[in-house]
Amino acid sequence: MKSRYLLILIMALLCTGLLAQYRGSRSLGIQFGTSSGSGYVMRWIGETHGLQATLGASTSGDNDVKFPENLWEEDVETAAQSVNYERKGRKTSLTAGLNYIHILDESAKTRFFIALGGSYKIAREKIFARRYNRITSTYYEYELDYTVPMSEEIHKKDVWTVGAGPGFEFVLDRHFRFTIDLPITYNSDEEIVMYIPQVGLHYYFR
């Protein structure tokens, strides 16, 4: 676990160091993608190459979960005399991405590039559970066991994605530009994915 956080820290420090030394075009915006990561994005672009760093976080769900007093047999995964019934609580995630950009061609209104890099997503989800006992008289129905307190645990799932592919950057006005690229990606689930676009909106300072 510590090595994963260390990797993210090294990526952030590398990006910060390169940005501090560079005097080309810089931008700040929002990015959505798999190998690029999703969240706030910062870019610096030179004549032939550049760097893009992404950092984002999200939270969804609620830990104030409610359990019904009764369940039917079809509500549980495995029928038994006593079962644990789970409800999902709050889910949080943190994503960091770092991509190298190589400029292939550009004009006054467009830029054609190849992007290569990856992202790392740390996801946590709280799971709550209560004990239910089968009602003997009906057999197919369960009732909540108030003598057993509610339990909770945190499910962890970290996902990394690497990829490379072509992309275009379109000039919208003096400062704003829109990007779209189509990488071929490989992830921690050992899946190779293609044709999922990544998009971004960037505000260039110069």
Side-chain angles (χ1 to χ4, degrees):
M1 179 61 69
K2 292 182 179 179
S3 61
R4 298 171 182 173
Y5 290 103
L6 180 60
L7 176 61
I8 295 174
L9 179 60
I10 292 174
M11 292 171 60
L13 292 175
L14 176 62
C15 178
T16 303
L18 289 173
L19 287 173
Q21 298 175 15
Y22 192 70
R23 295 294 180 267
S25 298
R26 302 185 188 191
S27 71
L28 183 65
I30 299 177
Q31 176 77 20
F32 298 96
T34 52
S35 60
S36 67
S38 298
Y40 293 116
V41 60
M42 191 165 187
R43 279 185 158 202
W44 61 265
I45 301 292
E47 294 183 359
T48 59
H49 59 86
L51 186 69
Q52 174 176 291
T54 309
L55 183 65
S58 65
T59 301
S60 62
D62 193 343
N63 288 333
D64 185 21
V65 297
K66 306 295 183 183
F67 287 86
E69 293 187 1
N70 297 88
L71 295 175
W72 294 98
E73 191 170 86
E74 58 266 24
D75 296 324
V76 301
E77 293 184 0
T78 303
Q81 191 63 35
S82 296
V83 297
N84 288 328
Y85 183 68
E86 295 183 347
R87 300 294 297 268
K88 294 182 179 181
R90 182 170 297 162
K91 183 178 181 179
T92 59
S93 65
L94 174 67
T95 304
L98 187 63
N99 282 248
Y100 167 75
I101 299 170
H102 182 71
I103 308 300
L104 299 175
D105 191 20
E106 66 178 314
S107 65
K109 293 294 184 181
T110 60
R111 179 182 284 149
F112 181 45
F113 62 87
I114 292 286
L116 168 67
S119 66
Y120 197 95
K121 181 179 180 180
I122 300 171
R124 301 290 182 267
E125 185 176 28
K126 186 167 287 189
I127 303 295
F128 298 88
R130 292 295 305 265
R131 175 68 59 84
Y132 284 80
N133 299 319
R134 190 193 297 272
I135 300 177
T136 306
S137 58
T138 60
Y139 192 74
Y140 295 107
E141 189 176 3
Y142 294 83
E143 62 179 356
L144 180 62
D145 189 343
Y146 288 98
T147 64
V148 179
M150 180 174 62
S151 63
E152 62 179 76
E153 63 178 8
I154 296 178
H155 284 190
K156 303 177 181 180
K157 184 176 182 180
D158 296 351
V159 179
W160 55 261
T161 304
V162 294
F168 287 92
E169 182 178 271
F170 302 96
V171 177
L172 303 180
D173 60 17
R174 180 183 175 185
H175 292 288
F176 284 98
R177 298 186 184 186
F178 174 77
T179 60
I180 180 170
D181 55 298
L182 291 169
I184 299 176
T185 64
Y186 180 75
N187 58 38
S188 53
D189 292 329
E190 299 184 351
E191 296 175 338
I192 298 177
V193 183
M194 191 176 179
Y195 302 129
I196 296 181
Q198 302 184 141
V199 296
L201 182 64
H202 309 267
Y203 178 90
Y204 278 85
F205 299 100
R206 52 176 295 184

